[in-house]
Amino acid sequence: MLQVIFQSLFCDAEWRHTCGMVQKMKKETEYYIEISKEVCDYLERLSYDIETRKSIITRLFDEAKNSSDDAVLKSPAFQSYHAELEEAAASYETAKKDLEKFLDEKVKEKSGEVELYNWNLEDFRQPEVHIVIVKE
């Protein structure tokens, strides 16, 4: 078991090192794209909904971890929170895809072409998305 963990850590470290080297070989351009406060607030709410449901489900599991009975998995509370988690996660993924469509257009407008990029909404208090264009 320890060997598997060590190999996993080693592979992750090796991957990070390799990615770092590849990243240094690429030319990057960074900038921010402003998004509406409503979109930012919506993404924050969905993220909060997901994390809240995960926390509640984890607490339900923790309460039942010493029990051999699987009643907690069949309980109405668990079923309800699990359904809410699935719904929030699906809504969050849909919202991210919609945001990516918007970002695709903005990146294309800025550079005049479709480019490979990474994006990150770094802080929900700032309605702007950090864009990193990666060019080889």
Side-chain angles (χ1 to χ4, degrees):
M1 179 67 171
L2 189 57
Q3 184 179 8
V4 171
I5 293 171
F6 176 76
Q7 286 175 340
S8 174
L9 291 174
F10 179 74
C11 290
D12 287 346
E14 184 177 329
W15 180 82
R16 283 193 299 273
H17 176 70
T18 302
C19 285
M21 290 174 56
V22 170
Q23 200 68 12
K24 288 177 186 176
M25 294 169 33
K26 294 181 179 181
K27 179 182 172 188
E28 296 181 350
T29 304
E30 298 183 38
Y31 54 88
Y32 289 85
I33 294 177
E34 197 168 318
I35 61 173
S36 73
K37 183 70 174 140
E38 291 79 20
V39 169
C40 192
D41 290 345
Y42 181 62
L43 288 167
E44 180 179 27
R45 184 179 61 79
L46 290 173
S47 176
Y48 178 79
D49 286 349
I50 290 169
E51 293 307 313
T52 301
R53 295 328 181 263
K54 282 182 182 179
S55 177
I56 292 169
I57 289 171
T58 299
R59 269 191 250 132
L60 288 171
F61 277 133
D62 285 346
E63 289 176 13
K65 69 182 174 189
N66 294 328
S67 173
S68 61
D69 188 7
D70 66 347
V72 82
L73 296 175
K74 296 176 183 174
S75 72
F78 177 84
Q79 295 296 324
S80 175
Y81 285 119
H82 187 263
E84 290 173 11
L85 175 59
E86 287 179 336
E87 183 179 326
S91 295
Y92 189 60
E93 288 304 313
T94 299
K96 287 186 343 184
K97 287 189 186 314
D98 290 343
L99 177 60
E100 286 172 350
K101 289 177 189 174
F102 171 79
L103 295 174
D104 287 347
E105 289 300 316
K106 292 297 184 182
V107 167
K108 187 176 178 181
E109 283 176 20
K110 186 162 180 73
S111 66
E113 62 182 328
V114 177
E115 302 216 64
L116 177 63
Y117 66 92
N118 295 317
W119 67 273
N120 185 19
L121 182 57
E122 296 172 343
D123 183 356
F124 288 119
R125 292 174 289 173
Q126 297 293 325
E128 57 187 18
V129 178
H130 183 211
I131 302 290
V132 178
I133 304 291
V134 180
K135 290 189 176 184
E136 292 188 40

